[in-house]
Amino acid sequence: MINYDGKRFSPVADGAPEESRVAVYRQEGDLLWGEFLGGKARRGALTGKCAPDGKLDFAYCMVLDDGEVISGHCASTPVVLEDGRIRLDEVWERFGSNGSTGISVIEEVR
């Protein structure tokens, strides 16, 4: 099982991490939680579970710079990179009046 406790992740755009946005993950057993900020998010949080194969299933909520409050669901699949860092391929859904779906990639930053 991958242990996500204390790992930091940033979105990847054009092949390089966007270090202005950072998420810090915590883990205890199969319980996963974390906080993130930066980019358009003033602050966000996530809570969910980690499967034995390292896949993540969690809910998230955040407040954007413009004051909008959003929430959603995300399923992340880990890929261990050649240098040992973790990349998460994320399939997400945003709920509410501005609902949407998408795919994102985040990578561990050391």
Side-chain angles (χ1 to χ4, degrees):
M1 177 189 269
I2 295 174
N3 186 339
Y4 292 95
D5 195 50
K7 293 194 183 300
R8 297 174 30 189
F9 293 90
S10 287
V12 174
D14 300 323
E18 292 180 38
E19 295 186 15
S20 66
R21 293 190 286 168
V22 177
V24 179
Y25 284 25
R26 305 295 300 177
Q27 183 178 352
E28 188 173 290
D30 68 343
L31 182 63
L32 178 85
W33 69 97
E35 293 185 332
F36 54 93
L37 55 91
K40 294 180 182 179
R42 288 172 52 194
R43 178 157 304 276
L46 62 93
T47 303
K49 289 176 50 178
C50 178
D53 62 1
K55 290 182 180 177
L56 305 177
D57 183 35
F58 60 84
Y60 66 88
C61 61
M62 67 180 114
V63 176
L64 300 180
D65 285 339
D66 65 4
E68 182 181 10
V69 177
I70 61 173
S71 64
H73 173 263
C74 184
S76 300
T77 302
V79 175
V80 178
L81 302 173
E82 288 182 16
D83 63 5
R85 293 178 307 121
I86 299 167
R87 182 182 79 215
L88 292 171
D89 296 327
E90 304 182 311
V91 177
W92 51 266
E93 178 181 10
R94 181 179 291 180
F95 305 141
S97 59
N98 292 323
S100 60
T101 60
I103 297 172
S104 302
V105 175
I106 63 174
E107 286 185 0
E108 182 179 358
V109 261
R110 302 224 177 186

